[in-house]
Amino acid sequence: MYKTRSGQMRFKIDTKEKIVILRPEITTLDANLSEDFQASITALPERSNRNLILDLALVQNVDQSGAQAILTVYRQQYDSQLSCAITGLNNTLTQALRAAGDDTELNITPTLSEAIDIVMMEDLERELLGE
């Protein structure tokens, strides 16, 4: 369990060799939490050089700033030459992310195992193209 400096945001963190799975323990990601969400994930030492899976199963609602925070974290991963997948979304969250995504192709999966498969396949693809 990871608690942020502000104390508002808590995460469950599962660290694997090439993946870190983050599960925010909140039900609503809104303007009050979006900055803390983004800053906390960016600062996590477990994220260094690992692909990221955001498991948002506990998050039921998101506003525009919350959706933008998720997308910012998502894009930061790819800017760092790493992968990201999002899982555990309900229909409301899926629609909010797609609406805020500006046609960004998102790796949204229904299950955690599919999210792991996607980021590992992208990781393998980067390795093969780098050789």
Side-chain angles (χ1 to χ4, degrees):
M1 171 106 48
Y2 174 80
K3 189 173 178 180
T4 65
R5 279 171 266 155
S6 71
Q8 295 179 350
M9 180 76 56
R10 290 184 177 178
F11 295 95
K12 277 194 174 178
I13 301 172
D14 185 9
T15 305
K16 312 272 189 219
E17 182 182 347
K18 292 186 174 188
I19 299 172
V20 63
I21 302 167
L22 296 179
R23 182 176 295 122
E25 294 189 327
I26 55 171
T27 57
T28 301
L29 182 56
D30 57 14
N32 294 329
L33 292 175
S34 61
E35 187 177 320
D36 194 22
F37 173 87
Q38 185 178 328
S40 297
I41 292 175
T42 302
L44 280 174
E46 293 90 346
R47 204 184 112 205
S48 178
N49 298 317
R50 288 191 178 97
N51 299 297
L52 175 66
I53 296 176
L54 292 173
D55 184 348
L56 302 178
L58 299 176
V59 181
Q60 298 301 308
N61 300 300
V62 65
D63 68 5
Q64 179 70 21
S65 61
Q68 285 301 319
I70 293 167
L71 292 172
T72 298
V73 168
Y74 187 92
R75 290 180 187 123
Q76 285 174 345
Q77 278 297 111
Y78 282 94
D79 289 347
S80 299
Q81 304 301 311
L82 296 164
S83 296
C84 186
I86 304 169
T87 190
L89 297 177
N90 62 29
N91 289 337
T92 303
L93 283 147
T94 302
Q95 290 172 357
L97 284 177
R98 289 201 169 127
D102 301 324
D103 295 327
T104 300
E105 274 197 45
L106 300 172
N107 291 330
I108 297 175
T109 66
T111 66
L112 181 57
S113 66
E114 288 174 283
I116 292 169
D117 288 347
I118 283 179
V119 296
M120 292 309 294
M121 286 176 58
E122 287 184 354
D123 194 63
L124 179 61
E125 185 177 291
R126 275 191 301 276
E127 282 182 28
L128 292 173
L129 291 175
E131 292 179 353

Coordinates of all heavy atoms in Angstrom, one line a residue, residues 18-19 51 81-83 116-131:
K18 N 9.0 -6.5 -15.1 CA 8.9 -5.5 -16.2 C 7.6 -4.6 -16.1 O 7.4 -3.8 -16.9 CB 9.0 -6.1 -17.5 CG 10.3 -6.7 -17.9 CD 10.4 -7.2 -19.3 CE 11.7 -7.7 -19.7 NZ 11.8 -8.0 -21.1
I19 N 6.8 -4.9 -15.1 CA 5.5 -4.2 -15.0 C 5.3 -3.8 -13.5 O 5.6 -4.5 -12.6 CB 4.4 -5.2 -15.3 CG1 4.5 -5.7 -16.8 CG2 3.0 -4.6 -15.2 CD1 3.6 -6.8 -17.1
N51 N 6.9 -1.0 -17.4 CA 5.6 -0.8 -18.0 C 4.5 -0.6 -16.9 O 4.7 -1.2 -15.8 CB 5.2 -1.9 -18.9 CG 6.3 -2.1 -20.0 OD1 6.5 -1.2 -20.8 ND2 6.9 -3.2 -20.0
Q81 N 9.3 5.6 -23.6 CA 9.5 4.4 -24.4 C 9.1 3.2 -23.6 O 9.7 2.1 -23.6 CB 11.0 4.3 -24.8 CG 11.5 5.4 -25.6 CD 10.7 5.7 -26.9 OE1 10.5 4.7 -27.6 NE2 10.3 6.9 -27.1
L82 N 8.0 3.3 -22.8 CA 7.4 2.2 -22.0 C 5.9 2.1 -22.4 O 5.4 3.0 -23.0 CB 7.6 2.5 -20.5 CG 9.0 2.5 -20.0 CD1 9.1 3.1 -18.6 CD2 9.6 1.1 -20.0
S83 N 5.3 1.0 -22.0 CA 3.9 0.8 -22.3 C 3.0 1.0 -21.2 O 3.4 1.0 -20.0 CB 3.7 -0.6 -22.8 OG 4.4 -0.9 -24.0
I116 N -1.7 -7.2 -19.0 CA -0.4 -7.7 -18.9 C 0.1 -8.2 -20.2 O 1.2 -7.9 -20.7 CB -0.3 -8.8 -17.8 CG1 -0.5 -8.2 -16.4 CG2 1.1 -9.6 -17.9 CD1 -0.7 -9.3 -15.3
D117 N -0.7 -9.0 -21.0 CA -0.4 -9.5 -22.3 C 0.0 -8.4 -23.2 O 1.0 -8.4 -24.0 CB -1.5 -10.3 -22.9 CG -1.7 -11.7 -22.2 OD1 -0.8 -12.1 -21.4 OD2 -2.7 -12.3 -22.4
I118 N -0.8 -7.3 -23.2 CA -0.6 -6.2 -24.2 C 0.7 -5.5 -23.9 O 1.5 -5.3 -24.8 CB -1.8 -5.2 -24.1 CG1 -2.9 -5.7 -24.9 CG2 -1.3 -3.8 -24.7 CD1 -4.2 -4.9 -24.9
V119 N 1.0 -5.2 -22.6 CA 2.2 -4.4 -22.3 C 3.5 -5.3 -22.6 O 4.5 -4.8 -23.0 CB 2.3 -3.8 -20.9 CG1 1.2 -2.7 -20.8 CG2 2.2 -4.8 -19.8
M120 N 3.3 -6.6 -22.3 CA 4.5 -7.5 -22.5 C 4.7 -7.7 -24.0 O 5.9 -7.8 -24.5 CB 4.2 -8.9 -21.9 CG 4.3 -8.8 -20.3 SD 5.8 -7.9 -19.7 CE 7.0 -9.1 -20.2
M121 N 3.6 -7.8 -24.8 CA 3.8 -7.9 -26.3 C 4.5 -6.6 -26.8 O 5.3 -6.7 -27.7 CB 2.5 -8.1 -27.0 CG 2.0 -9.5 -26.8 SD 0.3 -9.8 -27.5 CE 0.6 -9.4 -29.2
E122 N 4.1 -5.4 -26.4 CA 4.7 -4.2 -26.8 C 6.1 -4.1 -26.4 O 7.0 -3.6 -27.1 CB 3.9 -3.0 -26.3 CG 2.6 -2.8 -27.0 CD 1.9 -1.5 -26.5 OE1 2.4 -0.8 -25.5 OE2 0.8 -1.2 -27.1
D123 N 6.4 -4.6 -25.2 CA 7.8 -4.6 -24.7 C 8.7 -5.5 -25.6 O 9.8 -5.2 -26.0 CB 7.8 -5.1 -23.2 CG 9.2 -4.9 -22.6 OD1 9.5 -3.7 -22.4 OD2 9.8 -5.9 -22.2
L124 N 8.2 -6.7 -25.9 CA 8.9 -7.6 -26.8 C 9.1 -7.0 -28.2 O 10.2 -7.1 -28.8 CB 8.1 -8.9 -26.9 CG 8.7 -10.0 -27.8 CD1 10.1 -10.4 -27.3 CD2 7.8 -11.2 -27.9
E125 N 8.1 -6.3 -28.7 CA 8.2 -5.7 -30.0 C 9.3 -4.6 -30.0 O 10.1 -4.5 -30.9 CB 6.8 -5.0 -30.3 CG 6.8 -4.4 -31.7 CD 5.4 -3.8 -32.0 OE1 4.4 -4.6 -32.1 OE2 5.3 -2.6 -32.0
R126 N 9.4 -3.8 -28.9 CA 10.4 -2.8 -28.8 C 11.8 -3.5 -28.8 O 12.7 -3.0 -29.4 CB 10.3 -2.0 -27.5 CG 9.3 -0.8 -27.7 CD 9.4 0.2 -26.5 NE 9.0 -0.5 -25.3 CZ 7.8 -0.6 -24.8 NH1 6.8 -0.2 -25.5 NH2 7.6 -1.2 -23.6
E127 N 11.9 -4.6 -28.0 CA 13.2 -5.3 -28.0 C 13.6 -5.8 -29.4 O 14.7 -5.7 -29.8 CB 13.1 -6.5 -27.0 CG 13.2 -6.2 -25.6 CD 13.1 -7.4 -24.7 OE1 13.5 -8.5 -25.2 OE2 12.6 -7.3 -23.5
L128 N 12.6 -6.4 -30.1 CA 12.9 -7.0 -31.4 C 13.3 -5.9 -32.4 O 14.2 -6.0 -33.3 CB 11.7 -7.8 -31.9 CG 11.5 -9.1 -31.2 CD1 10.2 -9.7 -31.7 CD2 12.6 -10.0 -31.3
L129 N 12.6 -4.7 -32.4 CA 12.9 -3.6 -33.3 C 14.2 -2.9 -32.9 O 14.8 -2.3 -33.8 CB 11.7 -2.6 -33.3 CG 10.4 -3.1 -33.9 CD1 9.3 -2.1 -33.7 CD2 10.6 -3.5 -35.4
G130 N 14.6 -3.0 -31.6 CA 15.8 -2.4 -31.2 C 17.1 -3.2 -31.6 O 18.2 -2.7 -31.6
E131 N 16.9 -4.5 -31.9 CA 18.1 -5.3 -32.3 C 18.5 -5.1 -33.7 O 17.8 -4.8 -34.6 CB 17.7 -6.8 -32.0 CG 17.6 -7.0 -30.5 CD 17.2 -8.5 -30.2 OE1 17.0 -9.3 -31.1 OE2 17.2 -8.8 -29.0

